Amino acid sequence: MHFPDLGEFRFVDALLQNGAPLKAESPATRTWLGVGDDAAIFDGWVATKDLSVENSHFRLDWSTPEQAVEKHIVSNVSDISSMGAVPKIALLGLCLNKNWSLETRDRVRVALSEGFAKRGITLIGGDTVTGTEGVFSTTLLGTLAGEKPLVRFAVQPGDTLYVNGTLGKSGAGLWLLMNHPEDKDKFPSLVEYHLNPKIAEGAGAELARLGACGACMDISDGLSSELNHLALASGVDLKIDENLLPIDPEVARMCAHYGVSPMEFALNGGEEYQLLFTNSLSSSIFQNENCCIGKVYRIGSAVGRADQAQVRMLCKDGEERPVKPRAWSHL
């Protein structure tokens, strides 16, 4: 039996060639968790869904097709990682911009195929359409690396707050592209991180293996918002120290060049996709850099139970001030 030689069939067939094979592996732990975290869990499968829309999440006058695709995949993988899980299976919804050239379509196809395959993620289905803007939509399934997931509501009084990786890079790169595109080559690492973030994708799974079963979430909307999510979900007050925030050196250099505040990017810059997490284990487990987690920085602690949980920051001038959530909103 032969299907008609239609463009969509050829495109999908080429996309699925050389993909990661589907393995007959069921989750070891049959956990259930409803809506409200970075991912849900049903019968042991950790599930998330993220979309990337052209001219909202990516622009092809800024990004290459490969960068746009990689950023989309990372945004999904980071949600799975933050639950202490490993990505396994994906369903892909793809809207190709009808004005894209054949070359751009082919580059998107190859980037998607290779991007999932190199991570061992099996594409098992989806849909392909065309429209006025490009859209990548992935439903990603993973399995827990440990017996329990890392969840937002697990903060305990006395827990230490950590982030892995430096802060502010993506927000600073976006600011540069929007305000001083002529200078993007002066700070290439910031622009590159915004367009194509590189993270420790196995960090959450490694935390689970180490027994660091505290709270965890990825920094997608900005540190200020994620801290408030943790505080509210767990019913605890959190306190961070301005002197401990690991502002990326290139962010500091860019801010000094333009006379803007690096703290704005560190607290409110989104699309970092690194992990904010807590645990009560000795910080000595992070003294030697773990290649699966990357560099870990202590930024504060959980200070006690509270009905009206809040986040405060000990500032460099010695004053304590509230940290208000300033998440990006599409609506």
Side-chain angles (χ1 to χ4, degrees):
M1 181 178 179
H2 297 284
F3 286 100
D5 187 23
L6 299 177
E8 181 179 352
F9 292 156
R10 292 197 304 272
F11 184 93
V12 172
D13 184 62
L15 176 62
L16 295 175
Q17 286 181 5
N18 302 316
L22 180 62
K23 298 180 180 179
E25 295 177 349
S26 298
T29 304
R30 318 305 292 197
T31 307
W32 294 79
L33 180 69
V35 68
D37 220 297
D38 279 0
I41 307 176
F42 61 95
D43 204 20
W45 288 105
V46 183
T48 190
K49 182 178 186 64
D50 214 348
L51 293 93
S52 297
V53 180
E54 188 177 11
N55 300 320
S56 179
H57 297 92
F58 67 93
R59 289 173 45 172
L60 292 185
D61 58 337
W62 288 353
S63 303
T64 65
E66 292 79 10
Q67 289 173 326
V69 167
E70 274 291 292
K71 184 174 182 178
H72 170 70
I73 295 176
V74 165
S75 72
N76 281 273
V77 168
S78 69
D79 280 338
I80 297 294
S81 173
S82 71
M83 303 297 292
V86 179
K88 299 287 187 178
I89 295 172
L91 292 157
L92 175 65
L94 178 60
C95 179
L96 296 168
N97 187 326
K98 61 185 179 182
N99 296 313
W100 285 350
S101 67
L102 180 60
E103 179 194 7
T104 298
R105 291 187 180 195
D106 283 343
R107 290 172 67 181
V108 166
R109 172 186 56 78
V110 171
L112 285 166
S113 180
E114 293 181 350
F116 287 115
K118 71 183 181 182
R119 294 172 168 90
I121 299 171
T122 306
L123 275 174
I124 61 168
D127 194 18
T128 304
V129 299
T130 60
T132 57
E133 290 184 313
V135 180
F136 311 138
S137 175
T138 296
T139 299
L140 190 59
L141 305 179
T143 55
L144 295 174
E147 293 185 0
K148 296 181 180 180
L150 305 178
V151 291
R152 297 181 185 183
F153 55 81
V155 184
Q156 297 293 324
D159 280 0
T160 303
L161 282 163
Y162 299 95
V163 294
N164 74 319
T166 54
L167 298 170
K169 301 182 291 297
S170 183
L174 175 60
W175 184 90
L176 191 65
L177 286 168
M178 294 181 68
N179 293 279
H180 292 282
E182 72 281 0
D183 289 345
K184 65 181 182 180
D185 292 337
K186 292 182 179 179
F187 305 95
S189 67
L190 303 181
V191 173
E192 173 65 19
Y193 193 90
H194 175 70
L195 300 179
N196 184 16
K198 297 291 194 300
I199 63 170
E201 295 184 7
E206 183 68 8
L207 287 174
R209 293 187 187 102
L210 289 171
C213 296
C216 187
M217 63 186 304
D218 74 332
I219 305 173
S220 55
D221 293 326
L223 181 64
S224 65
S225 295
E226 316 305 10
L227 286 165
N228 277 274
H229 277 307
L230 288 186
L232 292 171
S234 299
V236 295
D237 286 337
L238 303 179
K239 182 178 177 180
I240 62 172
D241 188 332
E242 182 178 2
N243 288 306
L244 297 178
L245 295 182
I247 297 173
D248 190 84
E250 278 297 279
V251 173
R253 189 171 75 87
M254 189 203 81
C255 289
H257 182 79
Y258 294 109
V260 294
S261 171
M263 194 56 58
E264 174 67 22
F265 301 118
L267 287 177
N268 304 315
E271 297 186 325
E272 296 276 10
Y273 300 123
Q274 299 180 131
L275 299 184
L276 165 67
F277 63 97
T278 76
N279 70 76
S280 58
L281 298 179
S282 169
S283 60
S284 63
I285 68 170
F286 304 124
Q287 284 182 354
N288 297 318
E289 188 170 334
N290 183 315
C291 63
C292 294
I293 302 175
K295 179 69 173 177
V296 171
Y297 300 88
R298 179 177 65 87
I299 64 168
S301 61
V303 295
R305 294 287 178 194
D307 293 331
Q308 300 293 325
Q310 61 178 325
V311 181
R312 300 186 67 83
M313 181 168 70
L314 176 62
C315 300
K316 291 181 179 180
D317 61 9
E319 295 291 324
E320 282 192 17
R321 297 184 176 88
V323 177
K324 301 296 184 183
R326 291 181 57 186
W328 168 262
S329 174
H330 290 282
L331 301 179

